[in-house]
């Protein structure tokens, strides 16, 4: 007798209940950007009921006094001056509206998930607004790379250019540099003499003092007096695969 295949399948119209879906109540991880641009900023606060605009000041240094005073004469009086820096506080708002029926029937903790989404949005907003201020103020401080690709030599140039303007490193003795992972790829694979790949060959204690660290778009390396970190939240420049690299000193 010929074999007859099974007539009842999970797709059979009469067994629709077999097609039920089991929903996992834990959402999958989302792809999220690394927030870095508040790290180099000077932290400050504004008390309530004090207005929207904050004002700081910085005294200008006095020039060198190279002329000796005549004996018995009073010295030359000095005029002091300062620079004023202002910032205006702004408010950014957003909300997610969930019905009580949705909250009671949803298979996932919808209120908690909505709060997490708003929290990430808030962090991304702060990071992007801070970075945009740097972008808008960088016209007089922008510098070009030595070649088509970013190299360790560019980090050295950045570090020494900041030092040439008397900008000091942070408390750990390093300047902070943020770049896109595509740019750090060029940095890590820089084949030039005294480049990262060349230095790595002579690092005899790789296990305890690695030159390259991969921590999910976090710290890449400490090299040339700079702490290099990755983030995808950088300004994209005209042309393919061109991204801005940011270098900071203490209160610079």
């Amino acid at each position: 007798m010929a074999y007859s295949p099974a007539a009842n399948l999970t797709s059979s119209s009469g067994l629709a209940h077999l097609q039920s879906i089991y929903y996992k109540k834990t959402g999958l991880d989302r792809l999220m950007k690394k927030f870095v641009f508040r790290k180099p900023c000077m932290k400050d606060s504004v008390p309530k009921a004090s207005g929207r605009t904050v004002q700081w000041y910085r005294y200008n240094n006095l020039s060198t006094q190279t002329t000796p005073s005549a004996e018995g004469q009073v010295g030359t009086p000095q005029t002091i001056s300062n620079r004023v820096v202002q910032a205006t506080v702004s408010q950014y708002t957003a909300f997610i509206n969930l019905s009580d029926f949705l909250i009671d029937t949803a298979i996932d903790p919808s209120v908690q998930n909505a709060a997490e989404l708003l929290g990430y949005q808030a962090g991304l907003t702060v990071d992007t607004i801070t970075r945009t201020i740097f972008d808008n103020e960088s016209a007089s401080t922008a510098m070009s790379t030595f070649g088509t690709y970013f190299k360790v030599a560019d980090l050295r140039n950045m570090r020494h250019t900041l030092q040439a303007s008397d900008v000091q490193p942070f408390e750990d003795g390093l300047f902070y540099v943020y770049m896109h992972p595509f740019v750090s790829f060029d940095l890590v694979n820089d084949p030039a003499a005294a480049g990262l790949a060349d230095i790595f060959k002579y690092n005899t204690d790789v296990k305890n003092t690695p030159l390259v660290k991969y921590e999910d778009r976090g710290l890449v390396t400490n090299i040339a007096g700079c702490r290099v970190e990755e983030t995808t939240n950088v300004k994209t420049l005209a042309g393919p695969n061109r991204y801005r690299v940011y270098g900071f000193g203490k209160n610079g």
Side-chain angles (χ1 to χ4, degrees):
M1 184 175 69
Y3 170 73
S4 298
N8 297 296
L9 307 173
T10 58
S11 59
S12 299
S13 58
L15 300 174
H17 73 286
L18 296 179
Q19 301 178 39
S20 298
I21 299 174
Y22 172 67
Y23 288 97
K24 300 293 292 185
K25 296 185 178 182
T26 302
L28 301 177
D29 290 340
R30 306 190 313 277
L31 300 178
M32 295 184 287
K33 296 182 182 299
K34 180 83 172 178
F35 304 148
V36 298
F37 286 102
R38 286 195 64 207
K39 294 181 182 179
C41 294
M42 183 182 71
K43 310 301 188 296
D44 207 339
S45 60
V46 182
K48 291 184 178 180
S50 299
R52 289 186 57 192
T53 301
V54 189
Q55 179 172 295
W56 298 268
Y57 66 90
R58 175 184 286 127
Y59 276 103
N60 297 316
N61 291 327
L62 295 173
S63 60
T64 305
Q65 181 62 277
T66 58
T67 303
S69 300
E71 183 178 356
Q73 299 296 317
V74 179
T76 304
Q78 301 291 301
T79 301
I80 61 175
S81 63
N82 60 29
R83 291 177 56 197
V84 171
V85 180
Q86 292 184 339
T88 300
V89 178
S90 300
Q91 186 179 41
Y92 301 85
T93 60
F95 69 93
I96 297 174
N97 194 356
L98 303 175
S99 72
D100 56 348
F101 187 64
L102 184 151
I103 296 172
D104 291 340
T105 59
I107 63 171
D108 66 309
S110 53
V111 175
Q112 176 183 339
N113 292 336
E116 290 178 357
L117 290 170
L118 286 172
Y120 175 73
Q121 182 189 49
L124 182 61
T125 298
V126 171
D127 196 62
T128 303
I129 291 173
T130 306
R131 190 213 74 203
T132 302
I133 294 173
F134 296 142
D135 290 328
N136 294 338
E137 298 292 334
S138 66
S140 62
T141 60
M143 53 191 297
S144 301
T145 57
F146 287 123
T148 305
Y149 305 104
F150 197 86
K151 306 175 182 178
V152 173
D154 294 307
L155 287 177
R156 295 190 179 99
N157 186 29
M158 182 183 298
R159 184 262 180 199
H160 289 286
T161 299
L162 288 170
Q163 284 276 255
S165 298
D166 295 317
V167 177
Q168 299 303 309
F170 290 90
E171 285 75 7
D172 57 5
L174 299 172
F175 293 91
Y176 293 174
V177 179
Y178 305 126
M179 61 180 61
H180 192 279
F182 290 167
V183 179
S184 66
F185 174 86
D186 295 334
L187 174 67
V188 171
N189 291 280
D190 175 16
L196 196 59
D198 189 42
I199 296 174
F200 190 78
K201 290 188 300 185
Y202 299 99
N203 182 16
T204 58
D205 192 14
V206 177
K207 181 178 179 181
N208 296 318
T209 58
L211 286 173
V212 180
K213 303 172 183 290
Y214 294 108
E215 299 174 1
D216 185 27
R217 297 203 302 262
L219 175 63
V220 177
T221 185
N222 295 333
I223 191 72
C226 299
R227 175 185 173 89
V228 181
E229 296 186 40
E230 293 173 325
T231 177
T232 56
N233 193 28
V234 300
K235 183 177 178 61
T236 303
L237 305 176
N241 296 328
R242 297 185 69 234
Y243 305 94
R244 178 163 287 168
V245 176
Y246 301 81
F248 301 94
K250 181 180 179 182
N251 296 340

